[in-house]
Amino acid sequence: MLGGMTAVTLNHFLPLPLAIVLAVVLTMIIGAVIEILFIRWLYKPSVLRMVIITIGVSILVREIALHIWGEGVRALPYFTGSSVSSINLGGVYVSSQVLWVIGIGALAVASLTAFFNLTMLGRQMRACAANRDAARLCGIDAGNMVTLSFVLSAAIGAIGGAIVCPITYVQYDSGTPLAIKGFTVAILGGLGNSTAAVGAGMILGILESFSIWVLPTAYKEAISIAILLAILFFKPSGIFGSAEAARLKEF
Amino acid sequence: MVRRHFPVAAFAGLIVAIQLATLFTGTPYYLTQLTMTAYYSLVVVGLCMLIGYAGQISLGHAGFFAIGGYVSAFLTTFDLQHHRGAFVSLLEKSGALVFRHDVYGGSLLTVHPWLACAAAILLTVAVAYLVGGPVLKLKGHYLAMATLGIGIIVYRIVLGTEFLGAADGISEVPGFPLPGGLLITGNASSRVSNYYLAWGIVILGMVLLLNLIRSRVGRALAAVHGAEDAAEAMGIPTARYKLHTFVLSAVFAAVAGVLLTHYNAGIGPSEAGVMKSVRYVAIVAIGGMANLWGALSMSLVLNYLSLRGYFGTYDDAVFGVILILIMLFAPDGLLRRHLLSDLKRMVSRNPAEEETP
């Protein structure tokens, strides 16, 4: 939401690509500030405590956004073409923005995978996720890793917000449902597995879109949450996660 | 008078004092918000029982509140005159239905409020048992997200369902008759009696919970909260106790929903919103988690200020900030039970430290 909103505002006086880049950078900084202000200095916070704090922060961000941008619905222009133009792909007409979303999404996933598997920093981050104390013993600054993970996920969120907002529009409260959907997808794919999360995200999106065949459209939002609950109840390791790995985590 | 009855009496005295204060300052209209505060407080103390004593968080209690309110509102406003069948006439013969007139003078045949209330509570118990079982197996942030999810599902359903009034909610809900000619209604003429009724119900709920805490169940819950595995090893059926506390607090929320709906003569989807759930948790947190009196007094102050509109457009932000600050600086809650003794120890420790070289 922040990514989309700042990009829309910046686009008033900056060219589109520059506005998006700057919006992503700004959101990263906000992510870092939030982590440093609210999480970093806590001594061994429980995950529940962090969740409640972040829920509080998200309410705060939402309220601030409401006071800055008001209740209006905004959107970025289409990156190429317009909302009525489309591209013919072997008989299927697709809006050009959809291709942008898929392309940039794929790029983000690929670079994340590369980051976590190939770079030192990415490996250090995974070590922290697996075992914080052991990682610290190996000389990894776990505190910085947490900040970095906040910055990274803020960046990805902002990119996502900026690229889909020409299609879905953006509003001060469009963040909350996305946060829950994000959590659902993460659980569905098995936490800490970004490639599986993509598959899970596709499954969720398709299920949600097709649910309007059998249920009223107004219930669409409830579907993803019902799926989240079903996964938590019956297979908390996620559909792609292994049960053994999940047993090591605290549910 | 036994010592443990003292807080109850003191609180009842406070309620009377507030009423007298509004009487003498000529501000009886404050009582309307104070009555609404009472019903919200009922949710808060029920949730306090769950969070503070059973150690389980719920970010979905507004959902249970809405289930109670909506079921009661729907049943007491839905006109059955044109749906006559065997079941309806059976209900009519057994006295479960009432004829009344709507604001335009037309006649309505609706379910009696008491029966509607019973149906609301039954449905809440059923839902709470159904989702409580699997939900309470989860821990930490999974529990928080799952209960948050349940709240959102309820919100989406009431928002998207046509016969529940969609975004408008249900209005023109009749008053709730009580024995002795009393009626739970928002009419200005019965403002004082409703104020006492509402707080009387809250005090009743408090006495129930306080006795529960002092009982075998309460001690078992304290053990569960302290160390779940140890409690399990001692032979306490932890899962069952947690589930029963969850259902109990859901029922508190549903009863509050039913009564507030009859008092306000209507309910809207915002009552089921995430912000309401977060607000209840924030109040329990500031009240000291395992401190019913703390939660009750904070609920009285904060709900009243919020309902009177003192927070203006920053209403939600205020509760968000409260939640953040409490979780950052006092994750055990602000007005926790041992606060005084903790402070004393802190004060007395300082000179002791100076003595040691």
Side-chain angles (χ1 to χ4, degrees):
Chain A
M1 185 273 292
L2 269 182
M5 276 297 200
T6 29
V8 172
T9 310
L10 290 172
N11 192 37
H12 286 315
F13 37 82
L14 285 175
L16 187 63
L18 208 61
I20 290 174
V21 170
L22 205 59
V24 171
V25 171
L26 271 178
T27 315
M28 284 164 87
I29 294 171
I30 293 171
V33 168
I34 286 174
E35 200 275 340
I36 288 165
L37 271 184
F38 297 114
I39 308 278
R40 195 186 177 99
W41 54 273
L42 293 178
Y43 176 72
K44 283 199 175 169
S46 70
V47 181
L48 181 62
R49 204 170 145 199
M50 289 203 291
V51 167
I52 296 182
I53 291 173
T54 44
I55 288 177
V57 172
S58 77
I59 291 168
L60 210 58
V61 169
R62 207 181 74 176
E63 291 297 309
I64 293 171
L66 177 62
H67 280 90
I68 295 177
W69 288 296
E71 286 184 344
V73 179
R74 287 142 202 269
L76 279 177
Y78 274 55
F79 293 180
T80 48
S82 71
S83 53
V84 286
S85 68
S86 56
I87 294 168
N88 186 352
L89 285 180
V92 184
Y93 288 91
V94 190
S95 165
S96 62
Q97 189 63 29
V98 173
L99 296 178
W100 275 105
V101 172
I102 293 172
I104 296 178
L107 198 68
V109 173
S111 38
L112 257 191
T113 315
F115 171 73
F116 279 122
N117 288 316
L118 301 177
T119 66
M120 198 59 187
L121 207 57
R123 287 188 198 144
Q124 287 180 351
M125 216 151 147
R126 284 198 311 174
C128 283
N131 190 329
R132 203 182 159 127
D133 292 332
R136 201 174 270 155
L137 282 174
C138 296
I140 298 170
D141 188 340
N144 281 349
M145 288 302 137
V146 177
T147 314
L148 188 65
S149 71
F150 258 78
V151 171
L152 209 57
S153 64
I156 296 167
I159 295 173
I163 57 174
V164 297
C165 98
I167 307 175
T168 59
Y169 301 113
V170 59
Q171 207 184 349
Y172 76 98
D173 64 348
S174 52
T176 322
L178 285 176
I180 293 185
K181 247 175 242 175
F183 192 83
T184 312
V185 169
I187 297 264
L188 203 61
L191 287 176
N193 185 345
S194 49
T195 349
V198 176
M202 285 179 176
I203 293 176
L204 185 76
I206 291 168
L207 278 179
E208 211 186 71
S209 303
F210 280 94
S211 74
I212 58 170
W213 274 4
V214 278
L215 286 168
T217 326
Y219 295 154
K220 215 172 113 179
E221 291 285 330
I223 298 293
S224 62
I225 298 155
I227 294 171
L228 165 70
L229 290 181
I231 293 290
L232 278 178
F233 292 171
F234 300 115
K235 204 168 180 312
S237 53
I239 39 176
F240 300 116
S242 71
E244 287 104 86
R247 215 169 292 145
L248 297 173
K249 290 178 188 153
E250 270 280 298
F251 281 102
Chain B
M1 193 165 69
V2 195
R3 197 162 157 261
R4 71 187 164 95
H5 292 159
F6 177 72
V8 180
F11 189 76
L14 176 70
I15 294 306
V16 176
I18 292 174
Q19 195 265 320
L20 291 177
T22 60
L23 185 69
F24 288 124
T25 54
T27 50
Y29 46 87
Y30 284 164
L31 291 181
T32 304
Q33 281 83 27
L34 284 165
T35 310
M36 290 161 72
T37 301
Y39 294 128
Y40 284 128
S41 300
L42 207 54
V43 189
V44 171
V45 292
L47 189 62
C48 180
M49 185 76 196
L50 180 71
I51 296 181
Y53 293 90
Q56 308 299 309
I57 195 160
S58 168
L59 285 168
H61 258 54
F64 293 117
F65 182 94
I67 292 178
Y70 265 98
V71 169
S72 190
F74 175 69
L75 290 179
T76 53
T77 53
F78 187 68
D79 189 7
L80 290 166
Q81 263 174 333
H82 310 293
H83 297 77
R84 285 190 183 277
F87 185 61
V88 170
S89 33
L90 181 75
L91 281 177
E92 197 176 1
K93 281 202 192 89
S94 58
L97 303 183
V98 279
F99 258 113
R100 60 184 183 83
H101 296 285
D102 64 15
V103 281
Y104 310 110
S107 69
L108 287 172
L109 181 67
T110 58
V111 177
H112 193 275
W114 278 94
L115 188 72
C117 176
I121 293 173
L122 273 180
L123 183 69
T124 309
V125 168
V127 172
Y129 263 112
L130 208 67
V131 299
V135 159
L136 292 174
K137 279 190 199 139
L138 305 168
K139 285 194 178 66
H141 58 306
Y142 293 94
L143 179 64
M145 291 306 287
T147 50
L148 183 69
I150 290 165
I152 295 176
I153 290 179
V154 174
Y155 174 67
R156 284 289 155 190
I157 289 176
V158 296
L159 189 64
T161 308
E162 204 56 52
F163 66 84
L164 292 178
D168 296 331
I170 299 177
S171 55
E172 290 170 30
V173 178
F176 193 90
L178 290 172
L182 294 167
L183 187 70
I184 292 181
T185 168
N187 285 345
S189 55
S190 50
R191 201 147 48 190
V192 176
S193 69
N194 261 285
Y195 169 78
Y196 280 113
L197 264 176
W199 284 106
I201 292 166
V202 173
I203 290 174
L204 210 67
M206 281 298 283
V207 171
L208 186 94
L209 291 181
L210 288 169
N211 281 332
L212 196 65
I213 290 165
R214 288 173 45 83
S215 72
R216 186 188 173 84
V217 181
R219 288 190 296 274
L221 285 176
V224 172
H225 193 185
E228 196 173 328
D229 293 338
E232 184 89 49
M234 298 293 284
I236 296 171
T238 53
R240 204 199 307 158
Y241 275 127
K242 284 196 292 186
L243 180 59
H244 286 174
T245 314
F246 184 74
V247 174
L248 180 73
S249 70
V251 168
F252 264 71
V255 170
V258 170
L259 296 176
L260 186 63
T261 301
H262 286 283
Y263 181 72
N264 282 348
I267 186 168
S270 71
E271 289 296 344
V274 175
M275 265 321 298
K276 288 274 178 184
S277 293
V278 170
R279 169 177 303 203
Y280 300 140
V281 174
I283 293 173
V284 171
I286 198 170
M289 301 296 185
N291 182 353
L292 283 175
W293 289 112
L296 183 60
S297 47
M298 278 300 125
S299 163
L300 173 60
V301 174
L302 289 174
N303 271 321
Y304 174 71
L305 292 178
S306 164
L307 286 166
R308 284 293 311 171
Y310 282 109
F311 301 141
T313 51
Y314 297 96
D315 204 30
D316 287 349
V318 166
F319 286 94
V321 169
I322 288 176
L323 203 58
I324 297 173
L325 291 180
I326 296 290
M327 279 297 145
L328 283 181
F329 300 108
D332 298 327
L334 192 61
L335 299 175
R336 57 187 186 274
R337 271 181 301 174
H338 305 297
L339 185 64
L340 274 180
S341 54
D342 282 358
L343 285 178
K344 262 184 214 151
R345 207 180 313 134
M346 235 188 273
V347 173
S348 62
R349 197 198 294 149
N350 287 345
E353 277 170 355
E354 282 163 20
E355 280 168 30
T356 50

